[in-house]
Amino acid sequence: MFRSAVSEKTLLSFSSFSSFLFALLGISLGLWAGSLVIVFDGAYSLVSLALTLVSLGSLALRKHPVFEEQPNKALMIEPAVVAFKGLAISAMCLFSFGSAVLAIVNGGRDVDTGLALVFGLINVVGCIATYLILTRASKQSLLLDAEAKQWLMDSVISGAVLLGFVVAMLLSKSAYAAFAVYADPAMVIIASAYFVWVPLKMTLRALNQLNSIRKLEFSY
């Protein structure tokens, strides 16, 4: 099977390296182009990196001798990490939503759409490739499933960002050019409002698993 050929640790390490590259690219180009949504995408990758490192730490923690005599507690580590990841991503989405609303209230943002389109294309291809690699083993590990969902969110967000910049570029060349400055924060609002449900569902699922494990522990 795929998981036997490529370990959880290897896949999570690959994911963390990808997150680092996209975070560095997104935040630096986002600030350069003046794009809130690219910074949002880069910040998402940065949060993903931190959460992937938490997942890697949980793999080592599960092997700690203290859990050898308490196997049920070891089983709680994985869903606890997933629940934490879901809450962290939800918090980031809500913060980004608020920042985008403020940007619209303050008159929108001018963006270098040419640079943004190049970033969007590179980001979409890279995120989809990482997602496809991780999803092959996601059904066999809760941690890898959560990791794949993170990259699925990033892939769709990146696709929406690319489409949004195409729309912004078309608006800037039309009679509605005055509305182009609102395209960037509007994309952040749509992306963050829609995708906040994915990590929330991930958190609820993990909490249900934690509750089931606790009930199993108390039944002994």
Side-chain angles (χ1 to χ4, degrees), residues 34-192:
S35 171
L36 186 63
V37 74
I38 293 180
V39 173
F40 168 73
D41 203 337
Y44 178 86
S45 296
L46 190 62
V47 171
S48 294
L49 171 61
L51 297 177
T52 301
L53 293 177
V54 171
S55 295
L56 282 167
S58 73
L59 290 179
L61 185 61
R62 283 188 310 195
K63 298 177 182 179
H64 196 280
V66 73
F67 293 110
E68 291 183 2
E69 298 178 0
Q70 297 177 310
N72 285 337
K73 290 191 180 298
L75 290 174
M76 296 176 71
I77 295 174
E78 197 167 299
V81 169
V82 172
F84 174 74
K85 292 173 79 168
L87 288 173
I89 296 171
S90 299
M92 191 202 71
C93 286
L94 292 173
F95 176 79
S96 299
F97 180 89
S99 298
V101 170
L102 286 175
I104 288 179
V105 171
N106 292 329
R109 296 177 68 91
D110 287 313
V111 176
D112 182 346
T113 53
L115 181 62
L117 284 170
V118 173
F119 165 80
L121 185 59
I122 294 173
N123 211 30
V124 167
V125 173
C127 289
I128 291 176
T130 305
Y131 165 71
L132 291 176
I133 291 171
L134 290 171
T135 197
R136 293 179 63 187
S138 63
K139 293 181 180 179
Q140 301 176 50
S141 164
L142 189 61
L143 287 177
L144 290 177
D145 180 60
E147 201 71 20
K149 281 185 170 64
Q150 284 179 221
W151 282 101
L152 176 60
M153 287 175 61
D154 209 351
S155 298
V156 179
I157 289 172
S158 299
V161 167
L162 181 60
L163 179 61
F165 284 128
V166 171
V167 172
M169 184 176 66
L170 294 175
L171 280 174
S172 66
K173 299 179 183 299
S174 71
Y176 302 98
F179 294 100
V181 293
Y182 297 105
D184 183 69
M187 284 187 285
V188 176
I189 289 174
I190 293 170
S192 57

